[in-house]
Amino acid sequence: MLPLERVRNEERLRRAVLAGDQTAWRALYDGAYQELWSYVVWRCAGLRDLAEEVTQETWLIAVRRIREFVPAQAGFIAWLRGIAAKVLQNHFRAIARRPRQTLSGDEAAPNIDDEREQAEVIGQALAELPENYEAVLRAKYLDQSAVAQIAADWNETPKAIESLLTRARDAFRVAYEKKAGNDVAIKKGEP
Amino acid sequence: MNELPLPEPLDDFLNRPPSLASDAATRESIFQKSARQLPPRRAERWPLLLSCAATFMLALLSAYYLYHRFPEPKNDIVEIKKAPDDAPKPPAPPPILVKAPPHPRDLEWSAFDAEDDPARVSLYFQAGDMYLERFDDMQSALRCYRQAIHYCDARDLEINPKDNWLVMALKRDQRKEK
């Protein structure tokens, strides 16, 4: 869909939703559901229960905040992704603040081998990344776009995208190791 | 540029991104829940506008007819003009500006966007109180209080004599769960 056509269509649907038109809401919902779901699953590192919770929360916020959606600024799916990212950030921050049970250290191996815990750490590390790092990783690995394609879409040179990808991967690794390290320290009962 | 290799879980995650089929029942249930939050449907406005215009025209015609049938009697009362008052009038007091209290919805969104949890918790509690006290909107108050309790730490879960009955009940439930 051409950008102008997309803006017109989404603006028309937005106005109809504000007038209480359920069919228009259905059109927006069906048009974006799958893409939002894939994004949330990726951000939750494949944890289904968390992905379902975040997806529901995102849609409920979206319908209550639809007045603030401006199609000329960003597409509906980009707006939804912004909400989902904020929901996830709040979720992971709440988890990080929660006091965790301190273990004596005699328990089983402290490395994060549990699949769920590992997925949570990956999700938390992703939530820590700056927006452009997260976006470039998503474009490359989730959407599987070629570097040249990302460069064309973002109006950048392929070299700039390669460099951004390197920095993003590096930041992702650092965030992951920090989170994983904290996890191990907490399990060991270290301060 | 030399790049450090990614730890195995990250390498796996990036090169084999998780994908889960969405559940059709969950999808429909989320749609139904969100559709319940839509604003009430606005009725078609044109019949209403047409009837208003017709009523207005009818009133105008009736006034014209009545005025010409029963012309207004001449006014014999002589108006006595009051001498102009030379005394300077006291300056009008400046208008008192009353700042409208924020809408709880705005507080709720500020809470959602808040950068730190203590601010978020406080804003959610304020929004909940306002929904309950000003609008008697139990559902919205409950939503805000639940969010506040979700983000608050153990100390904030202590029951405070200032808490309303709803907050007390939610805190009690939360403590039981923990």
Side-chain angles (χ1 to χ4, degrees):
Chain A
M1 196 186 285
L2 292 169
L4 195 63
E5 201 184 329
R6 196 258 321 146
V7 171
R8 277 195 197 135
N9 185 42
E10 288 184 350
E11 185 53 55
R12 183 180 54 80
L13 290 171
R14 174 188 169 273
R15 262 187 270 125
V17 169
L18 283 170
D21 185 345
Q22 191 166 324
T23 319
W25 180 241
R26 170 67 86 178
L28 279 174
Y29 185 85
D30 285 346
Y33 186 89
Q34 192 52 49
E35 207 171 330
L36 178 71
W37 171 253
S38 304
Y39 170 71
V40 173
V41 167
W42 186 68
R43 289 291 308 261
C44 296
L47 294 173
R48 179 179 280 278
D49 54 348
L50 180 60
E52 284 181 352
E53 192 187 315
V54 171
T55 304
Q56 171 166 305
E57 186 65 15
T58 302
W59 281 110
L60 292 178
I61 289 171
V63 72
R64 292 201 298 266
R65 283 187 104 154
I66 190 77
R67 195 175 291 279
E68 293 168 30
F69 164 52
V70 183
Q73 280 177 6
F76 187 58
I77 184 66
W79 184 67
L80 288 172
R81 275 199 297 253
I83 298 176
K86 184 76 189 167
V87 170
L88 276 160
Q89 199 179 44
N90 291 349
H91 171 84
F92 286 127
R93 276 187 190 165
I95 286 184
R97 284 181 66 243
R98 224 158 269 168
R100 300 177 68 165
Q101 208 173 4
T102 306
L103 305 178
S104 65
D106 300 333
E107 291 80 2
N111 59 329
I112 46 167
D113 52 0
D114 174 47
E115 210 173 302
R116 182 179 179 88
E117 210 163 329
Q118 192 161 277
E120 272 183 7
V121 174
I122 291 175
Q124 285 180 40
L126 264 180
E128 292 287 310
L129 294 184
E131 215 172 300
N132 60 339
Y133 285 1
E134 184 268 339
V136 77
L137 290 176
R138 169 161 41 89
K140 175 83 172 80
Y141 296 103
L142 177 68
D143 304 339
Q144 310 216 317
S145 303
V147 168
Q149 183 60 49
I150 304 171
D153 291 346
W154 292 20
N155 210 12
E156 290 280 1
T157 62
K159 196 144 183 73
I161 296 298
E162 282 287 8
S163 158
L164 186 63
L165 267 169
T166 305
R167 280 178 281 137
R169 275 192 294 254
D170 203 36
F172 191 25
R173 182 180 52 76
V174 170
Y176 174 81
E177 284 171 352
K178 197 172 135 200
K179 293 279 165 200
N182 280 349
D183 216 67
V184 172
I186 289 165
K187 275 192 167 185
K188 279 181 170 173
E190 288 167 8
Chain B
M1 196 186 287
N2 282 338
E3 220 182 308
L4 282 170
L6 288 174
E8 201 189 320
L10 290 195
D11 197 49
D12 264 6
F13 169 76
L14 288 177
N15 291 308
R16 280 177 291 281
S19 101
L20 297 170
S22 64
D23 177 52
T26 308
R27 177 178 171 151
E28 190 52 30
S29 141
I30 296 175
F31 175 76
Q32 293 303 335
K33 278 184 195 162
S34 64
R36 278 199 289 274
Q37 306 269 335
L38 286 173
R41 195 175 168 81
R42 214 184 288 157
E44 291 286 354
R45 282 209 221 155
W46 70 266
L48 186 72
L49 288 175
L50 199 70
S51 68
C52 283
T55 313
F56 179 71
M57 288 301 287
L58 198 67
L60 212 64
L61 284 172
S62 312
Y64 180 80
Y65 172 76
L66 289 173
Y67 179 76
H68 283 279
R69 196 166 171 203
F70 309 108
E72 212 175 295
K74 277 192 175 173
N75 197 357
D76 292 335
I77 299 166
V78 179
E79 200 180 323
I80 300 165
K81 282 194 174 169
K82 212 178 163 186
D85 195 0
D86 287 341
K89 284 181 182 171
I96 299 164
L97 296 173
V98 179
K99 205 176 168 189
H103 194 280
R105 195 179 44 233
D106 299 333
L107 287 178
E108 191 181 351
W109 295 137
S110 305
F112 177 72
D113 294 327
E115 277 305 309
D116 61 294
D117 283 348
R120 192 190 325 282
V121 169
S122 157
L123 286 164
Y124 270 130
F125 274 129
Q126 283 178 49
D129 290 347
M130 233 183 249
Y131 274 126
L132 203 61
E133 288 158 17
R134 274 175 56 194
F135 299 95
D136 205 17
D137 182 350
M138 178 79 82
Q139 202 185 352
S140 302
L142 201 58
R143 182 177 68 234
C144 290
Y145 288 147
R146 280 200 179 122
Q147 288 292 327
I149 284 168
H150 177 73
Y151 289 110
C152 73
D153 54 31
R155 196 164 39 89
D156 294 329
L157 281 182
E158 296 291 331
I159 292 183
N160 185 320
K162 284 181 190 165
D163 290 340
N164 62 36
W165 61 272
L166 191 53
V167 174
M168 281 187 193
L170 288 170
K171 280 183 175 177
R172 211 169 292 133
D173 283 355
Q174 183 72 10
R175 285 153 64 101
K176 266 184 211 161
E177 270 178 36
K178 284 187 174 178

